[in-house]
Amino acid sequence: MPDHQQHILLVGAGLAGSLLSIYLARRGYAVDVYERRPDMRLAHMSAGRSINLALSKRGIHALDEVGLLDAIMDIAIPMRGRMIHGENSSLTFQPYGKDDSEVIYSVSRGDLNRKLMDLAESHTHVRIHFQQRCDGMDFAKRAVHFTDEETGASYMRSEDTVIATDGAGSPVRQSMEATPRFNFSQEFLEHGYKELSIPPGRDGGFQLEKHALHIWPRHSFMLIALPNPDGSFTCTLFLQQEGDPGFSSLDTPAGVRAFFEREFPDALALMPTLEDDFFSNPTGALGTIRCFPWHVGDAAALLGDACHAVVPFYGQGMNCAFEDCTVLNECLDEFGTDWHRVFAAYQERRKINADAIADLALENFIEMRDRVADPHFLLMKKVGLVLEEKFPEYFIPKYSMVTFHRTPYAVARRRGQIQQEILEELTRGIEKIEDVHFALAEQRISTRLRPYTEEAGSLR
Amino acid sequence: MPDHQQHILLVGAGLAGSLLSIYLARRGYAVDVYERRPDMRLAHMSAGRSINLALSKRGIHALDEVGLLDAIMDIAIPMRGRMIHGENSSLTFQPYGKDDSEVIYSVSRGDLNRKLMDLAESHTHVRIHFQQRCDGMDFAKRAVHFTDEETGASYMRSEDTVIATDGAGSPVRQSMEATPRFNFSQEFLEHGYKELSIPPGRDGGFQLEKHALHIWPRHSFMLIALPNPDGSFTCTLFLQQEGDPGFSSLDTPAGVRAFFEREFPDALALMPTLEDDFFSNPTGALGTIRCFPWHVGDAAALLGDACHAVVPFYGQGMNCAFEDCTVLNECLDEFGTDWHRVFAAYQERRKINADAIADLALENFIEMRDRVADPHFLLMKKVGLVLEEKFPEYFIPKYSMVTFHRTPYAVARRRGQIQQEILEELTRGIEKIEDVHFALAEQRISTRLRPYTEEAGSLR
């Protein structure tokens, strides 16, 4: 704990900012958090934005560290695998992990954020200031500019240490973009997304398997559905913006209905408000943001989507941001109040991994919308889980390294590529798991992969 | 020519904007050009910015099309090759092309820009408005915002067609960055640059070989020098910003002198104002800018550095921007006043090639600062020129395709990679050109490359 209480200013009380304020408060810092939106615990959330999230190992670890895990588990729904809805309305279940301990959890973004804010404010020295819009930062003066959205008044706050958790459109990062030699990229997919809904059944029950993430893979596009505690499912349609089919050509209620009748008849039967939802909810964009550096000396640092927004196809956006908090907290353990070293070490450990999960998430879009429907892909998935059982020190499937372990994302991506080659070799020309020549596998694995435990620490 | 005279607004009267205004005036358009800086024909240019340029085929072609080539050739100095200054002050000359017709030309940016402006304003319907700073564009209203830098007054100009030639920091592109799904990246090298100078000799003559581009390659950094008509040379030091050696550690006059004594003693002997130049000229950054799309419907388009700033190591920044003008003019030939089709075709033809020259320029930095000093690299260069002589329909060295031909950059890069493999195979373990097994070459070349003429048109 610092000698005299140091103040820290956070920009943004979303998931990452709220969690970080708790980590910092537990270390003895006084934290002021400035948030653009009104307090979501008082105001009603707007439609089309209540996206649910897939909580997995890294997020669980962070929530456990701050003591919030049990409360979140009470409102989370385990999803044991993918339920694939084929073009003929067939159903195929693909487990995510090796057993029922390896599951991911559907949680509501709003519920999770509210509980994080409550816990943050239970600390005497954390204050969240709502409806305060950040307009950028002057790094030399360590001054953050704000506008009070209720009164319209502009003002500035100076603080020795500022951490921006202000999301993909981060005003603090935009101020960094104007500094010399700041590297930045924003790349958008040709696909957008639209949130839709399946209500609870008449008896209040779930109309699809509750403990699964549902996917309707259709090659160039897909529909997914995640369960909510009230028996409903939140659905998301991922589709190209232009072309046919595409959001731009789905411009009438009849056209939307005909598209769903053709592509997703089993889902359509459960979606009484499809046309209304489709035209009242916005079409969202899907982009990847990368930048470097992530900090300006000891004055300011970026965390979460502000420095590494990713597409949602690995379910890791929140989990990665939470892991940022865990790692920043470790750096505070190591370097105390030397914020320059803290920020530099945090950047060193996280940048390479944020780049890796951005790439993994882009790659997984192809897998989700196309390859999950391929029997050979399913066979490779099964073989991967068998290899994990037989050679646990060498082989953990890529999805498992990312989702059920805290293997650094960069290590998971590199080992995942090698493992993919091995899986392709072992299953070439083979249709059943019984035909796989597992005796060959050991030699291939041990010559091309270092033992997992030996490598795990090599990249933070 | 359009039926009634259409007006076009250009933002920026730099090299690309001035040239484009001439192309458009020759088609019968009325053109208003808004330029942030004062008229360089009246004001004295600031020190450290009088960079000279290497004019080559694509730039020459454009200047010829608008009738300015002879006037520019009067003030241009042919450079026949690279003069390599070794670490022991040895000199090695590497010709650029197959004969004295294949040379590049050192020209002064200021002189070239002034002549382009003079020619532009000789057209009745071209007007250049100086000291008018662009503050961005509202695309829906087709309105460009300006501030008059003399009076401080802000105002707006609406025009059906706007083309932004406003450079790497383009305010019009920045307005595009805020539109949905605009892809953008800026990536900086760890190297910066500093302009320095070698004055004429006492007799007014050149103190180094006049008809060469001089390079002092030192692996991780380099010095270059280009001749000016007055007998001086403009030098540029490319060096890492941080580290030792690096701009940040060269912080005293004595330190700078010691660095030059150690690394560039022959140049130092010719640089009486080294320390003054070093500390009065700014350290520039070296970045690559990419973006997509390049136009907003028929309302606005970007051209030149505004959409594709590149690092200077292929000497193609200006040549590429001039080729943009040539291609846009071709699209006007094909699609007349249908500006949406004109802009879409221009983007389709140029984006892939702008990406290719950006990559080529980054790759050439390694070649210039490091590989040009390697005897094996010199051998491959010589073999490449022999292959061009023997198999002109298949093999034109990459540097020649980029510099002495108008081969699309993307084609030049792809063929260049294949040719490089062939050169490496033919010269493996060989030290003299006499030992090269040229009989082998024909078969390798003809199986791996399509005839040059057949491919040249396949990518614009």
Side-chain angles (χ1 to χ4, degrees), chain B residues 14-15 24 61 69 81 99 122 154 188 211 231 246 318 356 359 383 386 446:
Chain B
L15 296 169
L24 293 172
H61 178 85
L69 186 58
D99 57 39
S122 75
S154 291
F188 291 90
H211 294 291
M318 169 188 69
D359 292 331
V383 172
V386 173
S446 61

Side-chain angles (χ1 to χ4, degrees), chain B residues 46-49 192-195 247 277-285:
Chain B
S46 58
R49 300 230 163 257
Y193 72 91
K194 176 85 73 178
E195 193 174 314
F247 282 113
D277 292 347
F278 196 94
F279 290 103
S280 56
N281 288 342
T283 306

Side-chain angles (χ1 to χ4, degrees), chain A residues 120-192:
Chain A
E121 290 189 327
S122 75
H123 291 85
T124 319
H125 297 292
V126 174
R127 286 188 59 198
I128 309 179
H129 311 265
F130 291 97
Q131 291 187 269
Q132 308 302 312
R133 186 185 78 221
C134 178
D135 300 316
M137 180 167 179
D138 180 331
F139 300 104
K141 294 181 180 157
R142 297 170 189 264
V144 189
H145 297 273
F146 292 102
T147 299
D148 184 320
E149 296 240 302
E150 270 193 298
T151 66
S154 290
Y155 61 98
M156 134 197 147
R157 282 282 173 274
S158 293
E159 202 67 82
D160 281 346
T161 307
V162 174
I163 304 175
T165 53
D166 46 353
S170 169
V172 175
R173 187 197 66 234
Q174 287 181 29
S175 295
M176 283 193 195
E177 286 169 37
T179 63
R181 291 188 287 134
F182 186 78
N183 295 306
F184 171 71
S185 76
Q186 57 184 37
E187 299 285 335
F188 291 90
L189 295 186
E190 292 181 4
H191 291 70

Side-chain angles (χ1 to χ4, degrees), chain A residues 7 10 52 72 115-116 150 200 217 229 232 251 257 267 278 295 311-312 333 343 354 378 384 406 417 430 439 459:
Chain A
H7 288 253
L10 299 189
N52 36 20
I72 300 303
K115 285 195 187 294
L116 284 165
E150 270 193 298
S232 68
D251 51 359
R257 173 159 291 269
F278 196 94
H295 69 107
V311 295
D333 282 341
F343 286 159
L378 296 187
R406 296 199 298 132
Q417 286 164 342
I430 287 174
L459 280 168

